[in-house]
Amino acid sequence: MTLKIALAQTNFLVGNINANMDNIVNAAVYARDTLGAELIVFPELTITGYPAEDLLLRADFIASANNALYQLAERITDIALVVGFPEQDGDKRYNSAAVLHHGAIIACYRKQALPNYGVFDEQRYFTAGQQPCVFELNGCFIGLSICEDVWQDGIIEASKQAGAEILLTLNASPFNLGKISQREAIICKQVKAAQIPLVYVNQVGGQDELIFDGASFVSNAQGEIVFRAVEFQEQISVVEFEHNQPIKSSCAPLYDDIAGVYHALVLGIKDYVRKNGFQGAILGLSGGIDSALVLALAVDALGADKVEAVLMPSRYTQAMSIDDAVLEADALGVKHHTIPIEPAVTAFTGMLADLFSGSARDTTEENIQARCRGVILMAISNKQGKLLLTTGNKSEMSVGYATLYGDMAGGFAPIKDVPKLLVYQLSRYRNSLSPVIPERVITRPPSAELAPDQIDEDSLPPYNVLDPILERYVELDQSAEQIIAAGFRQEDVARAVLLVDKNEYKRRQSPPGIRITSKAFGRDRRYPITSGYKGI
Amino acid sequence: MTLKIALAQTNFLVGNINANMDNIVNAAVYARDTLGAELIVFPELTITGYPAEDLLLRADFIASANNALYQLAERITDIALVVGFPEQDGDKRYNSAAVLHHGAIIACYRKQALPNYGVFDEQRYFTAGQQPCVFELNGCFIGLSICEDVWQDGIIEASKQAGAEILLTLNASPFNLGKISQREAIICKQVKAAQIPLVYVNQVGGQDELIFDGASFVSNAQGEIVFRAVEFQEQISVVEFEHNQPIKSSCAPLYDDIAGVYHALVLGIKDYVRKNGFQGAILGLSGGIDSALVLALAVDALGADKVEAVLMPSRYTQAMSIDDAVLEADALGVKHHTIPIEPAVTAFTGMLADLFSGSARDTTEENIQARCRGVILMAISNKQGKLLLTTGNKSEMSVGYATLYGDMAGGFAPIKDVPKLLVYQLSRYRNSLSPVIPERVITRPPSAELAPDQIDEDSLPPYNVLDPILERYVELDQSAEQIIAAGFRQEDVARAVLLVDKNEYKRRQSPPGIRITSKAFGRDRRYPITSGYKGI
């Protein structure tokens, strides 16, 4: 008794129900005709894409998704499909998986564990299901589960007790550093305990701040992975089951941490540009490491012909910054323009001279420079229909070392969740593939170049001190006391914590960026702006 | 048998635990010594303020709140206190209310109904309680409940069945248009059905996007309101109960809709500026109605001496715009500066001339003007430590008729949730108090003045058509089909819906503003930017 199950690791556009339906049909036809599959499993909420957020509160949206499901059942025969959809039942909505076979819906499962933490808001949209669902296909008894279900104790076991011999899991499990090994370890442990083979299908692609990494897999009843799909790419693959046991197949290797993040960022840029219909991307190239990395990522994501770099030197820009920026643009084959900002800075200084007479120079004047660059970049973006990529990193976003509407201007911030030390590691990784970022960009002390001889360390603790403090405070929610007890200097901790706390207002207006840590700014970390809480 | 219960309608700062404790003690002493109260009831989550958002995920924050509660019990005697606090019990957290009496916690109730819709994320933070809580004071049996509990069927009834003769409710119930009458109607209906008198204490004040209106009240067992506190102000008041029935007391009248919104906006500005420690506020005054209204609101909130207006005419600014802006600033006694933007616009035009040569003039050139104004206003804000108020309205925010980093620049957007037609109503209301907005500002056709002879209706349907369409699409989640069926022209609906859908990216970077409708942009309406959903 054999069964061929296809895993559809697909990259769908949220909300694009009609196109998603066509893609489901195409994938099923390929699985049936080319791979010989008898069953194909799609990711969580296949029809709408994940997360559809408050689109799920629109009656017309839910009706479209449900209509699409019924039509789908009639559009394809000779292969069973498992697809996720938002199921409306009276005034309740469920995160469901339907089994379509011979033109009918032969089973429907409602997700039981609804995550409502971190980036997840599922209890905003869905009611929890209460029971397992097992269907029969070619003599096999197959259980259904959805994402969070298999991270929790009891649900896999209950499905087995309901008669399941194989368990399918539909997923939309977002990437972060270390997530894939964590995911496989936790789920395989559950599988091993329950002694039931598992088919895990994850979606792939970028959706606003989230990256879905794919890395779908099949585990045997012993919790051993016998098949793994590639990371960060679409893939339709098939695994054969004999007497309900999966036959060992190919296991795509996993990237190491740094390479994994790099590929996640490339996919994030690619999908944001593609899915939002931009002609390409532009960015300000300063000669510093952040914009150097973003340029390399953008070119790897979109191709050199879709990317333009703009150099905007000021009186504080060192010659080596310009030289290095040009070197990298040329190495990558990217068109670049140079627009000195002096005329605009002079204009604003003159316009404000009366009002500011008698006031000392302060960060206002630095911000004006950054904002002149913002105006130029946005003008080019507007004129050319290209997405402006913002080049700030997570360390800066954490402590507010960035100018609102200045260097923070842009539609998408690829490395917004990448701490500075990781920016260096990613740059070295990229250069290990082919040398594109000039060595001096990596080795010189980082500087905003908004004042004479300015370097970041004038205003901030060194990044090898700052980044671990930020990780503890932001990602791990440790108190200042705990961080100091871990061996950090009181004054460094106090400074970092104070800056994080008081810069929530800047983060609230920052462009979306790609989440690659376990806690990104954005919907992952929801802090009040108005707050009397003192972290220290 | 009598009991005097004080209602503490307080305005606390989220996260400011130590100061909140002092304020609780001061209020209790006043209620005890001046009002003769034997019991004082505070709003939901008194100690931390509401909503504390992800601060509630910090172990140090929860520990501080719990320590504060235990200290509080010892700080005040001879009056019982009911205070809200986040209760940690093992790995679970509850939204709780404690009764402090004679130096001890004599009862503790855990909120049973946790709202997780609209602006609420309570299931992200809390586990639901499972049972009523009734305590005895001076021979009275008093039940506890928290906010959402009394909106739902069954919880009031269960408290009565557990022996409660009077029910207390601690609340953090945010304002929106029509909310107060809705709230009183729903809750009094529940009260009448259960036949138990209710003491409803709501917090007051602005917290980022939310306004809490106060309007605390006492209902008798027949669902009749026998006491109401004022709206939008702190108030400690007392109501006497005789044989468990409240004695009729004063009922503050309610504002009508327009006046209510006006006062909500004034409170929102006042609290954002005060709680975030700004020196005052500035804004760009264009001569149009939006900035005219925001200026009046800001002066009413902060006083004329704390507000500055900046006029930034361009070649497209009509003389009457400047005249009217000056007239209003003078009428309100507000300092104003005039900084023509031409030098900066000319500088940018020159800097971009080569790159843009051969390209037709488009919105890019309009955006440059708006962004020059943004740079000037932000420079003044930075230099003076004053909050920049953004003056855009909800109609503009809905359809994206605004420039990112231009007129959208600012720290706070008071009328962001106010549709254009309501802007007119609010302006007329303000002028009915004293005439400050020149009549011509109200009667002339609205224009962004970014191109020759431009008026809003060149790009948008008239507001008396647009606003009702937007209300249906955004607030009521109606489909385009439904809106057309309600009698709107297909082309107007199509245009509005398309613009709302495609401008999510702008709204994501807009400053926070005051929520006054049943669905504001921000945490109330969570839409993906990347989306293939077509509303039409």
Side-chain angles (χ1 to χ4, degrees), chain B residues 323-338:
Chain B
D323 295 345
D324 289 344
V326 171
L327 268 176
E328 186 188 5
D330 287 343
L332 287 163
V334 160
K335 193 157 122 184
H336 54 90
H337 315 284
T338 300

Side-chain angles (χ1 to χ4, degrees), chain A residues 19-31 42 75-76 236:
Chain A
N20 293 351
M21 297 307 294
D22 293 341
N23 292 331
I24 291 171
V25 171
N26 293 341
V29 167
Y30 171 79
F42 287 88
R75 278 177 69 181
I76 182 139
I236 316 282

Side-chain angles (χ1 to χ4, degrees), chain B residues 346-386:
Chain B
T346 304
F348 283 118
T349 307
M351 292 155 74
L352 290 161
D354 283 354
L355 201 57
F356 289 178
S357 72
S359 307
R361 186 184 166 87
D362 56 22
T363 51
T364 304
E365 284 72 18
E366 301 187 13
N367 289 337
I368 287 173
Q369 299 169 56
R371 291 193 180 114
C372 286
R373 295 191 173 108
V375 173
I376 291 167
L377 290 168
M378 286 302 296
I380 299 172
S381 167
N382 290 164
K383 190 63 94 182
Q384 301 187 346
K386 288 185 178 153

